């Protein structure tokens, strides 16, 4: 994931799965679809064996985040998320001000 | 994790482990120590079986984040992190502006 220098926006999505039937397929499809949206900068997602996950997606501005939230296919996935997959989730919209990176030399 | 309403700050920490000897003990100790710091609001951490992790810690203000970064025991852990544990990491300091939560009814 190659991001520009801050400032940009991050959507922090914490979630707990109660059921993962067909979940991965939809999650992957949403990443593919997000990549095509205006203002999308990148996404990183981690889920552990207990179903706890954190996904952080990056966006250039608030209006792009709002458009993605309202995308029709994404809306349907959000509905299925509440009906089938998630025990709970928390979404935070945040403005990234600073960034530091470290890569171990080979 | 019970957080106040935004605004507050989030430190997003993406990392990849190359070695996890003694890692968990230090990671747990850092969470314990962070909880005692001024301005600490909460932390959530997920790591998958490939060593990819995301930790998000929450703080009331930038000065508390800076104090935590410079805490002596934390500085030593950061040094060990670069020497022993991390292949790469990325830290983002962000200002949380909005939050939405969902909990499945029992």
């Amino acid at each position: 994931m190659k991001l520009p220098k801050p400032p940009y926006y991050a959507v922090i999505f914490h979630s707990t799965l109660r059921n993962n039937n067909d979940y991965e397929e939809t999650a992957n499809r949403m990443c593919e679809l997000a990549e095509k949206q205006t203002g999308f900068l990148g996404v990183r997602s981690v889920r552990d064996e207990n179903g706890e996950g954190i996904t952080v997606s990056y966006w250039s501005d608030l209006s792009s985040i709002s458009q993605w939230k309202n995308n029709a296919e994404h809306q349907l996935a959000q509905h299925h998320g509440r009906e089938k997959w998630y025990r709970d989730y928390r979404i935070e919209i945040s403005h990234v001000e600073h960034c530091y990176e470290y890569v171990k030399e080979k």
Side-chain angles (χ1 to χ4, degrees), chain A:
Chain A
M1 186 178 59
K2 190 69 191 163
L3 290 172
K5 286 190 180 176
Y8 47 79
Y9 284 85
V11 178
I12 306 166
F13 181 63
H14 298 277
S15 64
T16 313
L17 290 181
R18 55 191 160 89
N19 173 356
N20 64 6
N21 290 344
D22 310 323
Y23 176 73
E24 203 173 324
E25 191 183 331
T26 301
N28 291 342
R29 169 67 188 150
M30 286 306 112
C31 285
E32 273 177 35
L33 194 62
E35 280 173 24
K36 294 178 187 160
Q37 305 305 305
T38 306
F40 175 84
L41 300 175
V43 63
R44 218 164 182 184
S45 194
V46 174
R47 190 168 299 281
D48 70 16
E49 70 278 12
N50 302 316
E52 294 277 343
I54 303 177
T55 297
V56 189
S57 63
Y58 294 96
W59 303 85
S60 60
D61 56 273
L62 286 175
S63 135
S64 300
I65 294 171
S66 175
Q67 279 177 56
W68 170 235
K69 185 183 176 188
N70 295 317
N71 171 285
E73 191 176 341
H74 186 206
Q75 284 269 334
L76 187 62
Q78 290 170 57
H79 174 74
H80 288 154
R82 287 184 294 269
E83 290 298 306
K84 293 200 290 187
W85 295 311
Y86 295 120
R87 173 168 294 130
D88 53 69
Y89 62 73
R90 179 183 179 93
I91 297 170
E92 289 161 327
I93 314 292
S94 76
H95 186 240
V96 178
E97 299 175 356
H98 305 285
C99 167
Y100 312 91
E101 274 187 299
Y102 168 79
V103 178
K104 179 78 180 166
E105 286 169 41
K106 299 274 162 92

